[in-house]
Amino acid sequence: QVQLVESGGGLVQAGGSLRLSCAASGSIFTINTMGWYRQAPGKQRELVAVITGGGSTRYAESVKGRFTISRDNTKNTVFLQMYSLKPEDTAVYYCKCSDTFYRDYWGQGTQVTVSS
């Protein structure tokens, strides 16, 4: 089992920045891909960015050039640095990781609100 705890959400004005963190604990030796998803009110949860154990990354088109995902394997933590935030980035952001047995684990979510 893996437990994930997110932090770093909050309220920011359009054009501002935030950095989200997600710390993993438990069976961390099995973790492979880590990523961030988000869900806005009335919308489906969508992928924001993922990073593999080898460091390969993938981003949603809507955040390319503005968001950067990274991970610190020594601290079992994944980060999402968000720049040039827009009101449409407002959502609950969830951390997700997948282990080597293809099981998925989710964090509890952290709210990001971007005011115009």
Side-chain angles (χ1 to χ4, degrees):
Q1 293 289 322
V2 175
Q3 294 77 44
L4 302 171
V5 178
E6 302 109 331
S7 60
L11 173 65
V12 65
Q13 288 188 332
S17 303
L18 280 175
R19 189 191 196 210
L20 306 183
S21 300
C22 173
S25 61
S27 300
I28 55 176
F29 58 90
T30 66
I31 294 175
N32 186 5
T33 299
M34 302 185 80
W36 291 94
Y37 292 70
R38 67 186 181 187
Q39 187 166 18
K43 295 188 177 181
Q44 290 190 331
R45 192 171 297 187
E46 63 177 2
L47 180 146
V48 177
V50 293
I51 183 167
T52 67
S56 298
T57 59
R58 180 162 59 98
Y59 295 90
E61 285 296 326
S62 60
V63 306
K64 278 184 179 179
R66 299 188 298 121
F67 291 10
T68 301
I69 189 170
S70 61
R71 65 192 286 174
D72 182 342
N73 291 327
T74 65
K75 298 181 179 179
N76 307 307
T77 301
V78 62
F79 305 96
L80 185 68
Q81 179 67 56
M82 305 184 290
Y83 296 105
S84 302
L85 284 161
K86 305 175 181 179
E88 50 264 45
D89 294 318
T90 295
V92 178
Y93 283 69
Y94 296 91
C95 176
K96 173 190 167 184
C97 78
S98 302
D99 68 15
T100 53
F101 301 100
Y102 304 102
R103 294 175 297 199
D104 294 335
Y105 301 91
W106 292 89
Q108 81 286 355
T110 185
Q111 177 71 46
V112 171
T113 303
V114 184
S115 63
S116 57

